[in-house]
Amino acid sequence: MAASAEPVRTPGLAEVYNAHHDFVWRSLRRLGVDATDVEDAVHDTFLVVARRLAEFEGRSSLRTWLFAIAMRVAQSRRRDQQREVHHLHRYESVAPPQSEDPWTREESRATLHQLLDSLDADQRAVFIMIELESMTAPEIAAALDLKVPTVYSRLRLAREAMRRAVARYLARTKDRAP
């Protein structure tokens, strides 16, 4: 009679969290997650663990599996940070300097809304989701029930339209400058 392999007991989420929180935290820091973001990254990691724990088959150690998840979370955070920096630099030339003056902030907000209003509604939605909310094209495609190439097409058209609108705005404000 052949010996049957005993099924791997999958620990509960609380047990995994308590036993491996420090390991995940250290791993994320070592993977380059900024100290100010590490707690959020740990949270994101354990959200993935909560969703996927039932799928853990024990082919690797739990720590190896957790490290792989933490690595993907760290990579995702780096991509998000790069995307955010890229977007900030792109629109820095249009944005007026930050001020505590509520009138200036309101004027900036009104200018942004005016520029966004120049876009077609479908293009505006994609533009806002990618450029201002830092969402990915696949996320947007899922949210808007579109194909990913359609998202990219609308984004390209929106960026072109926004460039034209910004150029017109800058030309108008240059003419009004004292």
Side-chain angles (χ1 to χ4, degrees):
M1 184 159 147
S4 64
E6 246 181 74
V8 176
R9 182 185 88 68
T10 305
L13 179 60
E15 184 180 346
V16 172
Y17 181 87
N18 290 330
H20 299 285
H21 175 274
D22 293 344
F23 167 73
V24 169
W25 193 96
R26 282 190 317 274
S27 298
L28 287 163
R29 280 295 289 139
R30 291 173 181 158
L31 288 166
V33 174
D34 190 74
T36 59
D37 293 332
V38 75
E39 283 302 324
D40 287 339
V42 168
H43 179 78
D44 291 348
T45 301
F46 280 104
L47 282 174
V48 173
V49 170
R51 283 193 315 265
R52 311 249 343 259
L53 190 56
E55 300 169 18
F56 179 69
E57 297 174 347
R59 284 189 248 158
S60 63
S61 74
L62 188 58
R63 285 172 58 95
T64 303
W65 185 70
L66 290 169
F67 186 85
I69 293 170
M71 187 173 69
R72 286 190 292 278
V73 167
Q75 289 169 340
S76 175
R77 286 191 163 269
R78 266 194 307 281
R79 274 192 312 271
D80 290 348
Q81 186 178 28
Q82 289 169 347
R83 191 179 309 129
E84 193 171 311
V85 167
H86 174 74
H87 296 321
L88 289 175
H89 288 304
R90 179 182 293 165
Y91 298 107
E92 242 172 24
S93 64
V94 178
Q98 289 294 326
S99 167
E100 291 304 311
D101 180 9
W103 295 111
T104 304
R105 281 196 314 267
E106 184 57 38
E107 184 179 320
S108 298
R109 196 174 297 118
T111 301
L112 174 62
H113 287 206
Q114 187 178 29
L115 290 169
L116 290 172
D117 285 344
S118 71
L119 299 176
D120 168 86
D122 292 333
Q123 294 170 9
R124 180 179 8 182
V126 170
F127 185 86
I128 289 169
M129 294 169 94
I130 285 185
E131 298 292 351
L132 303 178
E133 299 299 331
S134 299
M135 295 176 78
T136 65
E139 289 173 327
I140 295 166
L144 300 179
D145 196 27
L146 300 171
K147 293 181 179 172
V148 173
T150 302
V151 171
Y152 285 122
S153 175
R154 288 182 183 178
L155 177 62
R156 181 183 54 76
L157 293 170
R159 284 176 175 164
E160 289 170 4
M162 185 59 92
R163 274 195 231 27
R164 289 189 304 271
V166 167
R168 285 190 305 271
Y169 171 78
L170 291 175
R172 280 194 314 267
T173 57
K174 184 178 175 185
D175 291 341
R176 287 187 289 179

